[in-house]
Amino acid sequence: MKDTSEDTKKHILDSAQKEFLEKGFSGASLRTIAADAGVTTGALYRHFKDKNALFAAIVGDTVGTAAEIIKNAEVRELNFLTAELPHGIKNDHQDETFKVLIDYIYDRFDILTLLLTKSSGSAYENFLQDVTDMYAGMCQALVKELHRKKIIITIDCLTVHVLASCFVTSVKEIILHRIPRKKAAEFLGNIHTFYHYGWMHLFGLPCAE
């Protein structure tokens, strides 16, 4: 059976992902990608106008999903914390958030590896900083709202930004060190415990046992 246009596109994307993982965005060759996909360079250009467009086709959905996860986490955390913080909260309230995060990481492990270690020179080379800024912005919005509701004492924006950045860096280590999925929950649990009690102390709030 002759390949369809979608089949050809899939062959190109599979070949491109392999090439980007091996050589990085800057070092990847469109000629090599086309040859490995069994198509001409002209056929590749009929599907993707340039290397950036090809890279975007591979990583774009993962980038968009990261933004959605952070946005949804902001709504979920605000609703939860507004109800629970005055009484102190236990260190086990983020199970659903961690499940979503772990699924996101391990369903897209190779693509996240591309974004974190192989994207230099592409339109996505600032992915980690963009995620950090989004997450820090979420944390700052939560702190501001909880302070407005007179639930917590205020924390300066720089402190919130640095702590949020450190958390994102911790999550990044899962990918850089290729931590097995079964160990990721324990790793994130340890990180969360550290931040949980630190945030509660800065908020001037009790921690439920």
Side-chain angles (χ1 to χ4, degrees):
M1 183 181 295
K2 188 175 181 180
D3 281 355
T4 66
S5 177
E6 285 304 307
D7 290 330
T8 299
K9 186 175 181 180
K10 183 180 185 305
H11 292 325
I12 293 170
L13 289 172
D14 289 344
S15 174
Q17 183 167 321
K18 177 183 175 183
E19 176 79 354
F20 287 136
L21 281 169
E22 288 180 357
K23 300 177 183 176
F25 176 83
S26 296
S29 163
L30 291 181
R31 286 183 178 274
T32 299
I33 291 170
D36 287 348
V39 302
T40 65
T41 305
L44 185 152
Y45 279 116
R46 282 196 291 274
H47 288 278
F48 305 99
K49 67 177 183 178
D50 56 27
K51 191 157 62 169
N52 251 315
L54 184 51
F55 195 77
I58 296 171
V59 306
D61 179 67
T62 294
V63 173
T65 301
E68 291 175 11
I69 288 173
I70 292 172
K71 182 178 180 179
N72 291 337
E74 179 176 3
V75 174
R76 183 165 54 248
E77 287 295 287
L78 182 58
N79 290 339
F80 180 87
L81 295 175
T82 298
E84 298 293 329
L85 272 175
H87 314 293
I89 59 175
K90 295 182 179 180
N91 184 33
D92 59 1
H93 75 286
Q94 287 192 324
D95 288 351
E96 179 60 29
T97 299
F98 283 168
K99 182 181 183 303
V100 170
L101 182 57
I102 289 172
D103 286 344
Y104 170 75
I105 291 171
Y106 287 92
D107 289 348
R108 302 167 172 82
F109 205 93
D110 284 345
I111 297 176
L112 287 168
T113 299
L114 281 178
L115 285 164
L116 294 178
T117 67
K118 306 289 185 177
S119 62
S120 179
S122 77
Y124 295 92
E125 63 182 356
N126 295 319
F127 169 74
L128 183 62
Q129 186 59 55
D130 292 342
V131 168
T132 298
D133 289 344
M134 283 189 288
Y135 181 68
M138 182 204 83
C139 292
Q140 289 168 347
L142 285 173
V143 169
K144 183 177 181 180
E145 181 63 13
L146 292 170
H147 177 62
R148 187 187 70 79
K149 292 177 180 291
K150 302 186 185 303
I151 295 174
I152 66 170
I153 62 176
T154 190
I155 304 173
D156 67 276
C157 288
L158 180 59
T159 296
V160 175
H161 180 83
V162 170
L163 291 175
S165 298
C166 289
F167 178 77
V168 173
T169 297
S170 298
V171 175
K172 178 189 72 173
E173 295 302 311
I174 292 175
I175 298 161
L176 297 187
H177 291 278
R178 305 192 70 82
I179 296 175
R181 184 174 187 142
K182 290 183 178 180
K183 291 184 177 295
E186 179 183 357
F187 173 80
L188 283 175
N190 290 337
I191 297 299
H192 169 57
T193 296
F194 178 84
Y195 278 95
H196 171 80
Y197 290 106
W199 281 119
M200 292 302 100
H201 177 75
L202 290 175
F203 289 157
L205 292 166
C207 291
E209 297 296 333

